[in-house]
Amino acid sequence: MSMTKETATQLDHVEDSTKDQALFDEETKREHEQTFRAALRDERGVILWATVFAAAALSWGFDAQVNGAAISVNSFRRDFGYMYEGQAVLPANWQTAFNVMSSVGQFFGGLSSGYVADRIGRKWCMWYGSWLLMAGIAMEVAASTRPVFLIAKLILGFALGFYLSMAPAYCSEISPVVLRGITTCGVSLAIVIGQLLSNAVIKAFGERPDRWAYRAPFCIQFLLPAVLIVVLPFAPESPWYLVRRGNLEGAAASLQRLHGKGRDIGPRLAQIQRTLKLESELYAQATWADCFRGVDARRTMITLGAFCCQHLSGIIFVLGYSTYFFQLAGLPTSQTFSLGVGVTACGVAGNISSWWLVNSAGRRIVTLAGMAVLTVMLALIGVMDVVPTAAAQWVQSSLTVIYAYVWFLTIGAMGYVILGEASSPRLRSRTIGLTTVVQSLWGLIMNFAIPYLVNPDEANLKGKVGFIFGATSLMCTIWVYFCVPEFKGLTFSEIDERFKKGVPARKFMEYKGDSEAPSA
């Protein structure tokens, strides 16, 4: 009995499907069995290019810190402010405008980056962003009036929106499971290194009497985008983006560059194809509305919530205004610059320490414990401000330094890990774009409010602001307990399955597969 053409086609389809499933299972098993030491040995391409993309966040950290640090420079306040009781003071409204304008730019940059990245790819999105960043920095250096400086901050912020969106997206997409937490933590490390560099150059130049006290730090910021413009064209594009665009040949070439010529990339390619195929069964096309629809709505809320926690735990107050805060507390200027460097140095140490925690303790418990500790520390900073002694000033300053270590050890590092893992691969660029938008909105709110809260010519609350952020941090701690799952050791397809099945956040690691039904 002869076989019909239709039947033969169906059998070929079943055979191909079975082969794809076998390759998918092979890659999933390999990722679960791969050790950290083996990954360091075998995944040099992944580590190299994840480092390049993560390094882009240096500029975001530098800019975020230099905004607050420049206010501590007397010549900056003199050139853009006025004299108040014998001291140079930058008006709170212009101080707010300078800081807010960068966040406004990031808002629109983050919003547009998802669309741009889905059209031209991750690396070219960041490449064009580098040109914009250089233009913004050049205008910032040349500015001698408030309006020109304000426009420079807008352009600079727009470019940083591209940077902050693409860095975690690329790192999470190219990394195997055992490295994914560390490479996305690398984004947070780059941010705090940027902040450390900012404080270091402010300390080096900040006491100069001329305009180069603040222009020199801006010039140094110019170097990173210049390097990225040269390097990025040689970077392999994200294979997830290429598969989504139907360019399987390009995806295979990218995977070969990332994982090495000796690696059989067939299983990895099949894993990406199957994961994206399963996701496309939920929605035919990815749209912004999909981020807030069905299963993806929960995933979007987790990613956005993690970054809300970062801001509501008071990071802009404690870190961004640390040097200025130390001066307001009554410490000598030379010591405040040193303490500012110490704060960000502790942040670097905290982030590096998180590399061990992310793979050993996991994401959920580190985030939860970190938020609880930060809540207590913020309350203590507020209490120390009520005690009118020199010893209390130093205790308050010491708590600020320790806070930086704990913040970058926990929510500062884990926020980017959660972002890369909770967002679905199909919507990742859009979800990360939305996260950048949320960060910008919180930046607008915080940078608008904090100058009015701490400035001596306004509310003059100083360290008492710790009481406010202690309360918001407590609310975030409760949210983390109920909403943030554990993603440690899970492939993207396994994470997809748990979200699709509605597994509660507290039971992600207990869930074993389709045979189990989630329980509340």
Side-chain angles (χ1 to χ4, degrees):
M1 185 173 183
S2 61
M3 183 184 300
T4 66
K5 183 177 180 180
E6 181 180 356
T7 303
T9 301
Q10 291 175 343
L11 288 175
D12 288 341
H13 178 73
V14 170
E15 184 178 345
D16 290 342
S17 179
T18 303
K19 181 179 178 181
D20 289 343
Q21 181 64 51
L23 289 172
F24 175 87
D25 292 339
E26 178 185 339
E27 181 63 16
T28 300
K29 181 181 178 182
R30 191 199 68 80
E31 286 206 70
H32 282 308
E33 293 177 349
Q34 186 178 37
T35 64
F36 178 66
R37 181 174 294 181
L40 290 179
R41 182 189 65 232
D42 301 333
E43 307 288 359
R44 295 176 183 176
V46 170
I47 295 170
L48 169 65
W49 292 110
T51 301
V52 170
F53 273 75
L58 276 166
S59 288
W60 190 90
F62 194 102
D63 184 70
Q65 189 68 14
V66 84
N67 283 340
I71 297 167
S72 67
V73 176
N74 186 69
S75 60
F76 183 85
R77 298 197 303 268
R78 180 198 65 212
D79 293 345
F80 293 96
Y82 66 96
M83 298 305 294
Y84 175 79
E85 295 183 356
Q87 292 185 339
V89 176
L90 182 65
N93 59 341
W94 278 100
Q95 188 180 140
T96 298
F98 289 159
N99 293 335
V100 162
M101 194 54 69
S102 181
S103 296
V104 170
Q106 289 174 42
F107 176 93
F108 290 105
L111 198 61
S112 59
S113 66
Y115 175 83
V116 174
D118 283 345
R119 293 297 180 275
I120 66 174
R122 276 66 166 135
K123 74 172 185 178
W124 294 114
C125 181
M126 188 173 285
W127 189 78
Y128 285 115
S130 298
W131 283 105
L132 281 173
L133 184 59
M134 289 176 65
I137 296 170
M139 184 178 291
E140 191 177 44
V141 172
S144 59
T145 63
R146 293 170 183 172
V148 173
F149 192 82
L150 202 62
I151 295 172
K153 298 302 291 184
L154 177 65
I155 297 172
L156 193 150
F158 187 89
L160 290 176
F162 277 38
Y163 270 30
L164 204 57
S165 297
M166 291 305 102
Y170 186 88
C171 290
S172 66
E173 289 183 343
I174 69 169
S175 302
V177 169
V178 71
L179 291 180
R180 196 173 62 217
I182 292 175
T183 58
T184 47
C185 275
V187 177
S188 178
L189 175 63
I191 289 173
V192 70
I193 289 177
Q195 292 171 325
L196 176 61
L197 289 174
S198 176
N199 271 341
V201 296
I202 286 289
K203 176 175 171 56
F205 295 97
E207 295 187 73
R208 288 175 61 103
D210 57 15
R211 291 185 173 182
W212 288 102
Y214 57 89
R215 281 183 170 177
F218 296 151
C219 288
I220 291 173
Q221 189 181 3
F222 194 85
L223 297 176
L224 180 64
V227 172
L228 288 177
I229 284 174
V230 175
V231 173
L232 284 174
F234 300 98
E237 184 54 88
S238 164
W240 291 82
Y241 164 78
L242 294 170
V243 170
R244 195 177 297 111
R245 301 288 289 183
N247 186 359
L248 298 183
E249 184 177 344
S254 178
L255 287 169
Q256 207 74 72
R257 289 187 61 195
L258 288 167
H259 300 294
K261 294 182 179 179
R263 169 86 171 268
D264 178 12
I265 51 87
R268 177 64 172 157
L269 185 61
Q271 183 191 51
I272 295 173
Q273 287 179 278
R274 184 166 179 80
T275 301
L276 290 174
K277 181 180 178 181
L278 291 172
E279 288 199 337
S280 67
E281 292 175 359
L282 293 174
Y283 304 106
Q285 295 181 343
T287 66
W288 287 105
D290 289 343
C291 295
F292 302 97
R293 182 183 297 144
V295 174
D296 288 312
R298 180 186 175 193
R299 304 179 74 156
T300 300
M301 290 302 104
I302 291 172
T303 59
L304 299 186
F307 282 85
C308 288
C309 289
Q310 287 191 345
H311 286 275
L312 290 171
S313 60
I315 185 60
I316 290 182
F317 161 64
V318 176
L319 193 59
Y321 287 82
S322 58
T323 304
Y324 189 42
F325 171 63
F326 293 146
Q327 291 178 1
L328 293 176
L331 299 177
T333 300
S334 59
Q335 292 179 351
T336 62
F337 284 132
S338 298
L339 280 170
V341 174
V343 167
T344 45
C346 280
V348 172
N351 186 277
I352 294 174
S353 301
S354 73
W355 297 354
W356 175 76
L357 282 180
V358 71
N359 280 339
S360 56
R363 289 65 159 152
R364 173 182 164 82
I365 187 62
V366 173
T367 304
L368 182 61
M371 289 305 305
V373 173
L374 292 174
T375 299
V376 174
M377 294 183 70
L378 286 163
L380 288 175
I381 288 174
V383 170
M384 289 299 105
D385 199 73
V386 179
V387 181
T389 64
Q393 292 175 354
W394 281 105
V395 171
Q396 193 179 55
S397 301
S398 300
L399 284 169
T400 303
V401 174
I402 299 170
Y403 172 101
Y405 178 85
V406 175
W407 193 89
F408 278 100
L409 175 69
T410 58
I411 185 62
M414 299 305 144
Y416 289 94
V417 181
I418 293 169
L419 171 62
E421 296 178 331
S423 56
S424 70
R426 183 179 59 90
L427 294 170
R428 182 163 292 120
S429 61
R430 295 178 187 270
T431 305
I432 293 178
L434 285 172
T435 305
T436 305
V437 167
V438 167
Q439 274 198 305
S440 302
L441 288 174
W442 278 117
L444 285 170
I445 295 169
M446 297 300 178
N447 284 313
F448 178 84
I450 290 174
Y452 287 98
L453 293 174
V454 302
N455 261 26
D457 57 340
E458 298 294 339
N460 198 28
L461 291 179
K462 300 181 182 178
K464 298 181 186 68
V465 178
F467 290 129
I468 297 173
F469 286 113
T472 55
S473 184
L474 176 60
M475 291 188 291
C476 290
T477 304
I478 296 170
W479 177 84
V480 169
Y481 177 78
F482 287 104
C483 297
V484 175
E486 180 57 73
F487 301 117
K488 183 183 72 171
L490 300 177
T491 65
F492 282 130
S493 59
E494 291 169 334
I495 293 171
D496 287 348
E497 180 184 351
R498 282 159 173 75
F499 277 118
K500 188 175 180 180
K501 296 292 184 181
V503 178
R506 289 167 290 164
K507 299 193 176 183
F508 250 52
M509 297 306 292
E510 298 175 16
Y511 181 76
K512 301 302 180 183
D514 285 324
S515 60
E516 292 191 9
S519 57

